[in-house]
Amino acid sequence: MSERLRANAKLAINQASINQNDLKSCLLALPTPSEQTEIVHRVDQLFAPADGIKQKVNNALARINNLSQSNLAKRFQRELTEQWRRDNPEWAAQKPTGRRKKSGIPRRL
């Protein structure tokens, strides 16, 4: 079919032009309706695992967003830090030194 279209194409400056009647006269081999149904069924089967994974990712993102919002609210209400101090007394007793760690990145002058 492509050879037939190329043979009938009119060439202009770096552009081929195909006549509408030439296109209309081309026969395309389409699968039967039962074959089309089978193709759709197979594609759906192949996409099912991906759809499941997508749903799990969306659920996880929603949970993360809710946890982030909840933790942020608790931090502002000092609930999170109080519970953390009770759970981690050895860390909570340490005082910050006020010095920053060296990152290995040179400072600008």
Side-chain angles (χ1 to χ4, degrees):
M1 176 176 73
S2 64
E3 296 84 19
R4 182 176 164 197
L5 288 175
R6 286 183 185 155
N8 291 337
K10 282 70 173 173
L11 295 175
I13 302 172
N14 291 330
Q15 185 174 358
S17 173
I18 299 173
N19 189 317
Q20 185 177 7
N21 291 329
D22 290 338
L23 282 177
K24 286 181 180 179
S25 67
C26 290
L27 298 176
L28 296 176
L30 296 177
T32 65
S34 63
E35 290 173 325
Q36 291 177 22
T37 303
E38 180 61 27
I39 290 168
V40 169
H41 179 69
R42 287 185 186 179
V43 169
D44 286 343
Q45 284 180 329
L46 292 171
F47 274 102
D51 291 339
I53 291 169
K54 182 179 177 182
Q55 185 62 45
K56 288 178 183 178
V57 167
N58 287 338
N59 291 343
L61 288 173
R63 284 195 309 268
I64 288 169
N65 188 34
N66 289 338
L67 286 174
S68 297
Q69 294 298 322
S70 141
N71 283 341
L72 189 59
K74 286 181 179 180
R75 285 181 185 177
F76 276 106
Q77 297 167 358
R78 297 193 52 88
E79 293 173 20
L80 189 63
T81 55
E82 290 170 8
Q83 181 63 44
W84 183 85
R85 286 180 183 144
R86 283 193 295 272
D87 294 344
N88 302 286
E90 68 282 358
W91 287 93
Q94 293 180 2
K95 300 285 184 201
T97 61
R99 289 184 280 172
R100 300 172 80 190
K101 285 185 177 180
K102 292 185 179 181
S103 64
I105 301 172
R107 290 184 161 185
R108 291 185 188 180
L109 297 177

